[in-house]
Amino acid sequence: MKYFFSLLIFCSFSLVLKAQTNAVKGQVTGKITDAATKQPVDYATVSVFKAGTTSPFNGVVSDPKGNFVVNGLPVGEYSITIDFIGYQKKTIDHVTITDGALSKPLGNILITPSQSQLKTVEIVGKAPIVENKIDKMVYNVANDLTSQGGSAADVLQKVPQITVDIDGNVELQGNANIRFLINGKPSSIFGASLADALQSIPANQIKSIEVITSPGAKYDANGTGGIINIILKDSKIQGVNGSVNLSAGTRRENGSFNLNVRKGNFGVNAFFNGGEQINSTTINTTDNLSYSKTRDTTTHLLQKGNSSFTRGGYQSGISFNWDITKKDQLTASFGYNHFENHNYGPTNQETTIFDIPNNNTISDIRSLRNSDSRFTGKYYDYSLSYKKTFEKEGQELDVLYSSSYGHNNSNFFQQQDFLTGGYPSSGSQSTNPGTDHETDISIDYAQPVTKSITIETGAKAVFENINNTVVTDTLANGLFVPNSNQTYGFNYNRKVYAYYLSATFSLFNDFINGKAGLRDEYTSTSADFPGVHIPGYNVIAPSLVFSHKIDQTQSLKLSYSYRIERPEYRDLNPFYNISDPHNISTGNPNLSPEIGHNYEFGYNKSFANEANIYIGAFYRHNTNDLQSYTTHYDTLNIGGTQYTNVYLNQRANIGTETTEGLSLFGSVPITSKLNLRSNMMFADRITTNPGNPSVSGFTYRINLNATYQFAHDLTAEVFGNYNSSQRTIQGTRPVFAFYNLAVRKQLWNKKASIGLTAADPFSPYISQKSTTVGANFDQSNLREVPFRSFGITLSYKFGKLEFKKDKEKEDNNDTPAPDSGGSK
């Protein structure tokens, strides 16, 4: 793995030299503008035709500011066409490239809106599945068939550089400490239970997934793994339109409704969705062997049982967008999320204590444990944002206020009845209600200095308050009575104040494009839990990214970012989950932030037949590494109650972690009907823990997606995924392999569709075997998880799309925007 960077850099720069040698420097540039509103038109198609031909020779799409550059044009005469849905096609003839004038600027090109409103529209063009941009990779979900009827967790399994296990745990380039956002904003739904939050978001509600492995200074420094931004569907097209999606299956069912209304300069987007994971039963076998301190006795605990599991939830939201003037925009949004899970079942237990020197069994006790645990979360997200643009292109001011309020409730019940030994029954029940409230206030400003340099700056304040209470009852003489020693409260407050400065620039006649920044964050923390003291700390986080466009089809990127990982609600909560008295888990309020240094080097290449490849090497080094750690106790005192033969799992700051890896993505149209797409990741993770030997664990993830278009309205897809096993600091994590099948038929001029899906149709269970090893114990766990499912999906799009630019927008702008002082 240590040779990946050297090899990749050598190969990439070889390509650079070759490309620079053979490059043709002729180019055509321009800017596309709406003739009525004078606003730039993004994603318009620019096609280049050789004089006298009818097939395009080259072409691009305009960027968000309407600009375009077509490179690689030999000397000659061309015709240029500008085309975008809702506009009349524009043709520019007699565009000539000569040896003396290799660059042909076309200036500002005005295109005229169509005068008639379109009752039905068939959009032929579509965004590529994966887009590789200078600061992020974007996965577009619209044409992902095998995820239809699934959740955000199912979509993430297909995103390059992301790994998802069977329980919904997510890693980005091998790091699980990820900052999740929804529409660019934080939400408390991710704090308490990430897996439940991802399962509550239907796949058909997602527009795209943005993966940001090296975030710039504008982003919060939180998240050593990087940022995953889930973009939900909305619409800013004039008119009334929406969609209804329904799915039913043997493992999951959900439904969603979207409504978009826009008239003139005002728009409303609303949605509601809900889903449920149908009750399934997992078979569990755990084999535990521990040693006494003198290692003269062993305790063998064998647990065999099954657990039934259900999960469900719903979401709703509404947003309002008002273009006050052409340069002033106000957006307000509100969202409500609710999800819950329920896990219950019996477990047979046998505990055998063996005397090694005397080769004698000291005791053999059998018992039956019944347990029941529930989690419920309710979350409110609301935001208000203001955006102002100025006469000078690229000059912008953004102000954002967002707040997220979460109410969580965890509770458990467990009772052990002894079948031998004559011991009385034991048990406990506990409830843990809590809240997580976060408020963010930010202001961002961008100022172009020259054509090739833009300065960005901004400030942000984050206020987070976590509090919860724990009430526990203990079984005594057949009755549950209050246990004051396990009843307590916990309050945790965190304030983060940040300022950043960054610059976007071009060097050496656009040979190198870059972005450099510095972010300063000060964190103040207080907690009123016994034994907890966390001093304030300041972090200065630099970031840097360079990109080089070899030609219109090839680019290189090199980046570095400094990141931290602040503990989340689920990491800090000191609540003891004793639903299994032998396997107890709890949070740790004393956690310190993890520090990360992330390096990445990548090469991207696109081809004329729409094929695309991406090769990226990455190196990550974390200190104060946040990981789960298991410790065995012969006896553990929790609030005055003694528990025996306990395996305690808790998050801790453990030494350092270094990950080196290679990420590959490829999309290849084999024929006009068959397309193959693959993601691969290979990584080696080395973890060091003071006082213990370092652990090296190699892992790889490979998946393959094949899509076949039988007809213009019938498509089939096959997706297979393999996550290898990997050594961890205390053992091994399991292999996870599965495959999905899907077919979709579009109806009624593509307004409706029906789809069929299947996951692992010939295997009722997926086996998950993991091990955990400590100084005085060995533990192995085998789970048989039901994964096979069959489903049907239905979708319907309704409404009329109006692509005509309405005059009302201009009529509402009677007063021109004030002069910002910038030059035009």
Side-chain angles (χ1 to χ4, degrees):
M1 300 296 293
K2 66 182 179 181
Y3 299 109
F4 279 171
F5 277 98
S6 299
L7 178 61
L8 188 63
I9 291 172
F10 174 78
C11 293
S12 298
F13 277 102
S14 297
L15 289 168
V16 172
L17 293 175
K18 180 179 179 182
Q20 298 301 323
T21 302
N22 298 328
V24 178
K25 296 181 180 180
Q27 66 173 16
V28 173
T29 63
K31 179 176 181 178
I32 303 170
T33 303
D34 185 304
T37 67
K38 301 302 186 290
Q39 295 296 306
V41 179
D42 57 353
Y43 298 105
T45 300
V46 181
S47 301
V48 180
F49 297 80
K50 290 183 178 180
T53 65
T54 57
S55 298
F57 165 74
N58 203 339
V60 296
V61 295
S62 57
D63 67 16
K65 296 179 181 179
N67 298 313
F68 69 87
V69 179
V70 183
N71 291 311
L73 299 178
V75 171
E77 183 178 335
Y78 302 94
S79 292
I80 310 293
T81 64
I82 314 295
D83 195 15
F84 188 62
I85 192 168
Y87 290 87
Q88 298 176 16
K89 180 183 287 189
K90 178 95 171 184
T91 301
I92 304 172
D93 293 320
H94 308 300
V95 177
T96 305
I97 302 292
T98 66
D99 290 327
L102 290 173
S103 180
K104 183 69 174 179
L106 300 179
N108 194 29
I109 304 170
L110 301 178
I111 58 175
T112 305
S114 300
Q115 296 302 311
S116 59
Q117 297 179 357
L118 305 179
K119 294 183 179 181
T120 60
V121 179
E122 180 179 342
I123 301 176
V124 178
K126 61 184 180 183
I129 292 290
V130 175
E131 298 177 83
N132 188 37
K133 302 184 178 181
I134 185 172
D135 61 343
K136 59 191 170 187
M137 183 172 285
V138 181
Y139 182 83
N140 295 300
V141 183
N143 295 294
D144 186 345
L145 298 190
T146 52
S147 294
Q148 60 182 327
S151 66
D154 299 305
V155 176
L156 287 172
Q157 289 170 341
K158 293 189 169 185
V159 179
Q161 307 182 82
I162 292 178
T163 303
V164 184
D165 70 13
I166 198 169
D167 298 312
N169 300 308
V170 183
E171 289 186 348
L172 176 55
Q173 291 185 347
N175 191 313
N177 297 323
I178 304 164
R179 175 75 160 167
F180 276 87
L181 304 174
I182 294 181
N183 293 332
K185 295 184 283 290
S187 175
S188 58
I189 69 168
F190 297 118
S193 175
L194 175 62
D196 284 306
L198 294 175
Q199 288 287 346
S200 72
I201 304 174
N204 53 38
Q205 192 67 34
I206 301 173
K207 176 183 177 182
S208 62
I209 304 285
E210 295 181 348
V211 178
I212 309 171
T213 53
S214 296
K218 186 175 181 178
Y219 293 96
D220 292 346
N222 195 33
T224 52
I227 295 173
I228 293 178
N229 186 21
I230 300 174
I231 306 296
L232 302 181
K233 290 180 179 178
D234 66 358
S235 175
K236 294 183 180 179
I237 298 174
Q238 292 286 325
V240 179
N241 59 87
S243 63
V244 179
N245 298 276
L246 299 172
S247 67
T250 57
R251 190 162 58 93
R252 181 180 175 85
E253 51 192 26
N254 59 47
S256 67
F257 172 78
N258 289 68
L259 178 65
N260 309 295
V261 181
R262 188 166 186 86
K263 182 67 175 177
N265 60 353
F266 187 77
V268 179
N269 298 291
F271 73 89
F272 177 86
N273 62 64
E276 180 182 12
Q277 181 176 325
I278 299 172
N279 185 38
S280 60
T281 301
T282 299
I283 303 170
N284 299 287
T285 301
T286 304
D287 199 332
N288 310 276
L289 182 65
S290 60
Y291 302 86
S292 62
K293 291 182 180 180
T294 57
R295 300 187 77 87
D296 58 353
T297 62
T298 61
T299 302
H300 180 228
L301 171 63
L302 181 63
Q303 297 174 297
K304 291 185 176 182
N306 59 75
S307 58
S308 297
F309 182 79
T310 59
R311 173 188 277 142
Y314 57 89
Q315 294 179 302
S316 62
I318 187 169
S319 65
F320 303 91
N321 180 270
W322 179 27
D323 294 333
I324 305 171
T325 71
K326 287 191 296 182
K327 299 184 181 300
D328 298 271
Q329 184 182 87
L330 193 66
T331 303
S333 66
F334 172 79
Y336 175 74
N337 305 272
H338 170 89
F339 52 78
E340 59 187 13
N341 66 52
H342 184 201
N343 194 359
Y344 59 96
T347 301
N348 290 292
Q349 304 178 134
E350 183 176 9
T351 303
T352 305
I353 301 177
F354 189 76
D355 183 350
I356 298 176
N358 297 312
N359 195 27
N360 180 44
T361 299
I362 299 174
S363 65
D364 187 0
I365 302 172
R366 290 190 295 273
S367 61
L368 175 65
R369 174 175 56 84
N370 283 284
S371 63
D372 189 303
S373 62
R374 296 174 182 267
F375 173 82
T376 303
K378 301 176 182 178
Y379 308 91
Y380 306 85
D381 296 330
Y382 44 95
S383 68
L384 180 66
S385 65
Y386 168 73
K387 182 182 185 71
K388 177 160 184 78
T389 58
F390 299 86
E391 292 296 333
K392 190 171 186 178
E393 184 177 335
Q395 184 181 4
E396 296 180 354
L397 174 68
D398 292 276
V399 181
L400 173 65
Y401 171 89
S402 66
S403 190
S404 182
Y405 184 85
H407 178 80
N408 314 294
N409 191 12
S410 300
N411 59 71
F412 74 81
F413 159 87
Q414 66 85 15
Q415 179 171 326
Q416 291 188 97
D417 298 311
F418 292 90
L419 307 178
T420 61
Y423 298 98
S425 296
S426 64
S428 60
Q429 59 185 21
S430 182
T431 183
N432 174 217
T435 60
D436 182 0
H437 186 196
E438 178 178 332
T439 298
D440 295 23
I441 303 171
S442 64
I443 181 169
D444 302 284
Y445 178 71
Q447 175 68 54
V449 179
T450 68
K451 185 178 179 180
S452 59
I453 299 176
T454 299
I455 301 296
E456 292 182 88
T457 187
K460 184 175 184 178
V462 179
F463 307 97
E464 185 174 15
N465 180 43
I466 296 173
N467 68 78
N468 61 56
T469 57
V470 178
V471 179
T472 304
D473 298 331
T474 303
L475 184 64
N477 300 319
L479 298 174
F480 283 94
V481 297
N483 184 339
S484 59
N485 291 323
Q486 292 186 17
T487 299
Y488 50 86
F490 170 65
N491 289 291
Y492 186 95
N493 293 280
R494 182 162 56 201
K495 299 179 179 67
V496 182
Y497 303 97
Y499 172 77
Y500 76 90
L501 180 66
S502 69
T504 304
F505 53 87
S506 296
L507 302 174
F508 314 119
N509 294 322
D510 294 334
F511 183 80
I512 291 179
N513 295 309
K515 191 167 189 177
L518 197 66
R519 187 179 184 91
D520 190 341
E521 292 188 348
Y522 177 76
T523 304
S524 172
T525 306
S526 63
D528 66 353
F529 197 73
V532 176
H533 174 67
I534 304 173
Y537 54 92
N538 192 74
V539 170
I540 297 178
S543 60
L544 181 64
V545 58
F546 291 114
S547 71
H548 168 62
K549 199 167 187 178
I550 303 171
D551 56 31
Q552 196 68 24
T553 65
Q554 300 179 85
S555 63
L556 297 170
K557 181 176 73 172
L558 177 66
S559 64
Y560 164 78
S561 64
Y562 180 102
R563 309 289 295 165
I564 67 171
E565 174 65 23
R566 297 187 185 92
E568 299 276 5
Y569 178 97
R570 58 186 178 273
D571 305 318
L572 300 165
N573 188 357
F575 167 67
Y576 284 92
N577 187 332
I578 317 177
S579 56
D580 179 355
H582 293 294
N583 294 279
I584 300 174
S585 61
T586 184
N588 182 0
N590 282 304
L591 289 173
S592 299
E594 176 181 291
I595 306 297
H597 300 271
N598 300 346
Y599 302 83
E600 187 172 358
F601 182 77
Y603 167 74
N604 188 75
K605 167 72 175 176
S606 59
F607 299 87
N609 63 349
E610 298 185 355
N612 179 264
I613 61 169
Y614 173 79
I615 306 172
F618 57 88
Y619 175 88
R620 295 169 172 263
H621 180 72
N622 300 334
T623 58
N624 271 344
D625 194 47
L626 283 171
Q627 290 198 39
S628 294
Y629 197 81
T630 300
T631 306
H632 177 264
Y633 294 88
D634 292 330
T635 60
L636 179 64
N637 187 308
I638 301 177
T641 301
Q642 296 284 343
Y643 296 90
T644 61
N645 193 23
V646 175
Y647 296 84
L648 178 67
N649 184 268
Q650 188 176 33
R651 293 278 275 180
N653 294 109
I654 300 175
T656 66
E657 180 182 275
T658 302
T659 304
E660 302 170 323
L662 185 67
S663 178
L664 307 172
F665 167 78
S667 178
V668 181
I670 305 301
T671 68
S672 61
K673 296 181 177 294
L674 176 63
N675 181 276
L676 297 181
R677 191 171 70 249
S678 180
N679 297 319
M680 304 182 193
M681 189 185 74
F682 307 88
D684 185 51
R685 181 167 59 194
I686 301 173
T687 306
T688 62
N689 183 17
N692 294 287
S694 63
V695 176
S696 177
F698 179 76
T699 186
Y700 59 93
R701 175 265 185 121
I702 299 175
N703 66 40
L704 179 64
N705 193 99
T707 305
Y708 190 83
Q709 189 86 31
F710 288 97
H712 74 283
D713 56 2
L714 179 63
T715 309
E717 188 171 279
V718 180
F719 175 73
N721 184 82
Y722 183 88
N723 296 348
S724 74
S725 177
Q726 184 180 28
R727 285 189 65 190
T728 65
I729 194 169
Q730 281 193 289
T732 60
R733 68 181 187 186
V735 170
F736 178 36
F738 67 93
Y739 63 97
N740 295 338
L741 310 172
V743 62
R744 181 179 67 184
K745 170 71 174 178
Q746 293 180 309
L747 307 167
W748 305 332
N749 199 25
K750 297 188 177 181
K751 285 186 176 181
S753 68
I754 181 171
L756 300 175
T757 61
D760 265 26
F762 303 109
S763 303
Y765 293 94
I766 288 181
S767 296
Q768 296 281 281
K769 185 175 182 180
S770 59
T771 62
T772 307
V773 178
N776 62 337
F777 72 91
D778 296 285
Q779 187 179 57
S780 65
N781 176 259
L782 175 64
R783 294 188 303 152
E784 299 288 337
V785 182
F787 197 77
R788 179 170 62 186
S789 68
F790 301 91
I792 182 172
T793 64
L794 303 169
S795 68
Y796 177 72
K797 299 175 184 178
F798 62 89
K800 179 170 63 175
L801 307 182
E802 303 175 10
F803 289 94
K804 183 180 74 174
K805 297 289 184 179
D806 55 292
K807 187 153 187 318
E808 296 169 3
K809 184 171 182 177
E810 289 187 22
D811 293 339
N812 287 329
N813 298 334
D814 297 330
T815 304
D819 190 352
S820 64
S823 60
K824 295 184 180 180

Tab-separated table of all heavy atoms in Angstrom, residues 341 493 564 603:
chain	number	residue	atom	x	y	z
A	341	ASN	N	-37.392	1.812	17.031
A	341	ASN	CA	-37.120	0.396	16.811
A	341	ASN	C	-37.450	-0.385	18.067
A	341	ASN	O	-37.535	0.177	19.176
A	341	ASN	CB	-35.671	0.161	16.360
A	341	ASN	CG	-34.652	0.508	17.427
A	341	ASN	OD1	-34.732	0.043	18.571
A	341	ASN	ND2	-33.664	1.317	17.070
A	493	ASN	N	-23.168	20.697	27.677
A	493	ASN	CA	-23.301	21.881	26.833
A	493	ASN	C	-22.009	22.108	26.055
A	493	ASN	O	-20.915	22.017	26.621
A	493	ASN	CB	-23.600	23.121	27.686
A	493	ASN	CG	-24.960	23.042	28.342
A	493	ASN	OD1	-25.968	23.317	27.709
A	493	ASN	ND2	-24.994	22.659	29.619
A	564	ILE	N	-11.321	17.339	12.749
A	564	ILE	CA	-11.497	16.842	14.106
A	564	ILE	C	-12.821	16.087	14.171
A	564	ILE	O	-13.683	16.227	13.291
A	564	ILE	CB	-11.482	17.971	15.169
A	564	ILE	CG1	-12.725	18.877	15.016
A	564	ILE	CG2	-10.209	18.779	15.083
A	564	ILE	CD1	-12.870	19.862	16.141
A	603	TYR	N	-7.216	10.900	-10.110
A	603	TYR	CA	-7.184	11.090	-11.564
A	603	TYR	C	-8.554	10.706	-12.118
A	603	TYR	O	-9.106	9.647	-11.786
A	603	TYR	CB	-6.103	10.223	-12.193
A	603	TYR	CG	-6.193	10.113	-13.705
A	603	TYR	CD1	-5.818	11.181	-14.516
A	603	TYR	CD2	-6.656	8.938	-14.301
A	603	TYR	CE1	-5.910	11.083	-15.894
A	603	TYR	CE2	-6.743	8.837	-15.683
A	603	TYR	CZ	-6.371	9.917	-16.477
A	603	TYR	OH	-6.462	9.813	-17.845
